[in-house]
Amino acid sequence: MEKDFTPSKRLSNEDLAPDKEQKWGWYSIFAFWMSDVHSVGGYVFAASLFALGLNGIQVFISLLVGIMVVMLFANLMGKPGQKAGVPFPVVARMSFGVFGANIPAVIRGLIAVVWYGIQTFLASSSFIILLLYFFPNMASLSEPTFLGLSYLGWVGFIAMWVIQGIVFMFGMDAIRKVIDWSGPAIYIAMFALCIYMINLAGWDNISFNLSSKKLEGWDAFVQMFIASALVAGYFAGPTLNFSDFSRYCGSYKKLKLGNWLGLPLNFVLFSVFSVVIVSASLPVFGEMITDPVETVKRLDSGLITVLGAMTFIFATVGINIVANFVAPAFDFSNVSPQKISFKAGGFIAAFGSVLLTPWNLFNNPEVIHYTVDVLAAMIGPLYGIILVDYYLVKKGEIDIPSLYTESPKGLYWYENGINMKSVYALVFAGLVAIVTTFIVTDLANYSLFIGGAVAALSYRIMMQSSSVKLSTLEMSKQKG
């Protein structure tokens, strides 16, 4: 098999080409997950599990089981990216074809655009707290509105939009430095806020049972199973495109260590802080507050208010950059590498997030439910197809030159650059996941896994009769 394929300009640019240095260590992967976990959404999510009727021990078991599932898939999804040094859309070329990979890339990119806008809007709420603390006269801007957002809201949103854009503009090295420092800084601030709230409430008034219901036996097991599935679903997006970051890691061993520290250990510890603060809000304010921004806003201490607001700004910016800026940057660049660079792809996503007016989406749960859930129904099938292809069909082998060539001799050319079998599996499993989400609602919490399983099985069956010769993969073993 010819190996010296000339890279196609339609498939490669500096950002999509394999990373040769791979200078990230375990700490950078650990910090990546800290940035992904430490967010307002993560805080609210951990506390919201008590609404299922679970007690503290049951919630923490569910969190641990769910995050272990996330770690398993992070290890699986990150391996091909780390091995070849390529981002998610290039990894997807192995199963979808060199041009067919634009399908999963655009799906993931659109989901990221929606959440990028929403997370920027959430970060702006913390920024506005700071503005009003130092410039109380700006409260007059909270009344007039434009496109559904107050003038003060626009000031906060644009400020956060610009700050994130500046960080992103300096590239992946700058992003790595931000996530390396932001995670630990957030821990310090969360610890301070936790101690402050415990001091106000009194340790005797802190309870890890925040539910008004009490479940036992089978009912408790079912709700714990649902909670674990929700944890896995919460991290489905960033885990899917984890190759965007694992590509920079020096070894798979370092990658797994970073995942271990950044997921089960970090996630459970952050959840403990979150639950303690939420629990303390009940005796301090007379009601349970699950929104950390609202908690900070109600505190009398100026220092804690400023510290808390800055904490949630850093937290939200961190998750937004790693989960919702980098992903569409690579995804949209993959569509037209010579016209769209990594930075251009990121700013396409950023501008698109403004056009969506995310505050209107956030304030209309029904619209965001249908918009995000239809797109998210495709995430499970993408997992199933890519993992089955890499581990079972391709046996863990990657022919890097074939990822960037338009030659029909390339291993990932299939039919005109598209593997229709993966497309059929995606459409079929996606429809199953949508039906599960909106019609068979009792199974809605498991749509990620159902879609993934259906796609994996259907793709495996179709590829067994494929004309792709696996013997060529054996030849590729001799490459290195």
Side-chain angles (χ1 to χ4, degrees):
M1 178 179 173
E2 179 186 0
K3 291 298 180 184
D4 295 326
F5 293 130
T6 301
S8 168
K9 292 183 178 180
R10 298 171 64 192
L11 295 170
S12 181
N13 60 23
E14 183 180 352
D15 302 304
L16 297 176
D19 184 70
K20 301 297 185 182
E21 297 181 341
Q22 293 189 302
K23 57 186 179 182
W24 284 29
W26 65 266
Y27 179 80
S28 292
I29 299 299
F30 168 52
F32 162 81
W33 287 116
M34 279 199 290
S35 294
D36 204 42
V37 168
H38 301 175
S39 68
V40 173
Y43 179 107
V44 174
F45 175 79
S48 69
L49 293 183
F50 286 94
L52 297 175
L54 303 174
N55 61 36
I57 298 299
Q58 292 166 339
V59 165
F60 285 118
I61 291 174
S62 303
L63 290 171
L64 187 59
V65 170
I67 208 65
M68 292 296 286
V69 172
V70 175
M71 186 180 70
L72 170 64
F73 281 98
N75 287 338
L76 293 173
M77 291 299 297
K79 188 171 185 178
Q82 188 282 320
K83 183 176 182 178
V86 298
F88 166 72
V90 177
V91 169
R93 292 175 185 179
M94 289 190 286
S95 51
F96 282 85
V98 291
F99 292 126
N102 285 324
I103 297 172
V106 169
I107 290 172
R108 175 65 185 111
L110 290 176
I111 293 173
V113 169
V114 173
W115 283 112
Y116 180 79
I118 291 174
Q119 291 282 9
T120 301
F121 172 63
L122 291 175
S124 70
S125 299
S126 296
F127 187 76
I128 288 172
I129 292 176
L130 287 181
L131 283 179
L132 294 178
Y133 181 79
F134 291 106
F135 308 101
N137 291 336
M138 293 188 71
S140 61
L141 298 176
S142 60
E143 292 300 327
T145 62
F146 176 66
L147 296 179
L149 186 65
S150 70
Y151 289 175
L152 182 60
W154 273 104
V155 171
F157 183 84
I158 292 174
M160 297 313 305
W161 192 92
V162 170
I163 289 171
Q164 293 172 121
I166 291 173
V167 173
F168 181 79
M169 189 169 60
F170 286 97
M172 285 303 299
D173 279 342
I175 292 173
R176 180 178 64 83
K177 290 176 182 177
V178 169
I179 63 178
D180 280 355
W181 287 97
S182 64
I186 291 164
Y187 259 133
I188 294 172
M190 283 287 286
F191 179 75
L193 181 59
C194 188
I195 295 300
Y196 185 77
M197 290 293 290
I198 291 174
N199 182 60
L200 290 179
W203 182 252
D204 292 340
N205 295 318
I206 303 296
S207 171
F208 286 99
N209 187 6
L210 304 180
S211 175
S212 58
K213 299 182 289 183
K214 184 178 181 180
L215 297 178
E216 296 178 347
W218 177 252
D219 290 337
F221 177 80
V222 170
Q223 294 303 318
M224 290 173 70
F225 195 78
I226 291 174
S228 298
L230 290 173
V231 173
Y234 181 79
F235 291 99
T239 307
L240 177 68
N241 64 280
F242 186 46
S243 283
D244 289 344
F245 299 90
S246 67
R247 66 180 301 209
Y248 300 109
C249 193
S251 73
Y252 189 54
K253 183 178 180 180
K254 293 177 182 177
L255 179 73
K256 291 192 292 184
L257 177 59
N259 284 344
W260 171 256
L261 296 173
L263 284 168
L265 182 65
N266 170 58
F267 181 66
V268 171
L269 183 58
F270 181 78
S271 297
V272 169
F273 280 135
S274 302
V275 170
V276 169
I277 295 171
V278 170
S279 177
S281 70
L282 187 58
V284 172
F285 303 116
E287 60 179 317
M288 188 171 70
I289 301 175
T290 58
D291 183 350
V293 177
E294 181 64 25
T295 299
V296 168
K297 191 186 299 183
R298 294 195 185 191
L299 294 175
D300 294 330
S301 170
L303 176 62
I304 294 295
T305 298
V306 171
L307 180 63
M310 292 184 66
T311 296
F312 295 120
I313 289 173
F314 277 116
T316 308
V317 168
I319 189 177
N320 222 12
I321 289 177
V322 301
N324 303 318
F325 213 142
V326 173
F330 282 123
D331 293 335
F332 295 149
S333 178
N334 189 73
V335 174
S336 182
Q338 289 306 301
K339 295 180 180 178
I340 305 175
S341 66
F342 171 74
K343 292 180 181 178
F347 281 109
I348 288 173
F351 281 108
S353 70
V354 179
L355 297 178
L356 285 173
T357 60
W359 46 89
N360 291 324
L361 273 179
F362 186 75
N363 293 325
N364 193 328
E366 186 174 348
V367 172
I368 194 172
H369 170 63
Y370 284 103
T371 301
V372 175
D373 284 0
V374 168
L375 290 172
M378 298 296 180
I379 288 186
L382 291 178
Y383 273 102
I385 293 167
I386 292 172
L387 291 178
V388 163
D389 183 79
Y390 179 70
Y391 289 98
L392 299 183
V393 178
K394 304 297 195 299
K395 307 297 183 184
E397 297 295 332
I398 306 174
D399 185 58
I400 295 177
S402 291
L403 292 170
Y404 298 95
T405 184
E406 292 186 62
S407 170
K409 295 181 181 180
L411 192 60
Y412 314 121
W413 179 251
Y414 299 102
E415 300 174 21
N416 299 316
I418 302 174
N419 182 7
M420 292 307 299
K421 291 179 174 61
S422 62
V423 177
Y424 296 148
L426 173 63
V427 172
F428 175 59
L431 289 174
V432 171
I434 289 174
V435 168
T436 301
T437 300
F438 297 104
I439 298 177
V440 190
T441 53
D442 288 342
L443 298 176
N445 292 318
Y446 314 112
S447 61
L448 175 74
F449 299 98
I450 293 172
V454 171
L457 181 61
S458 57
Y459 179 75
R460 179 62 171 154
I461 292 172
M462 285 188 284
M463 287 301 286
Q464 282 179 337
S465 60
S466 174
S467 60
V468 175
K469 304 297 183 182
L470 295 182
S471 59
T472 59
L473 286 170
E474 296 300 320
M475 294 176 60
S476 69
K477 292 180 181 180
Q478 304 172 8
K479 176 176 179 287

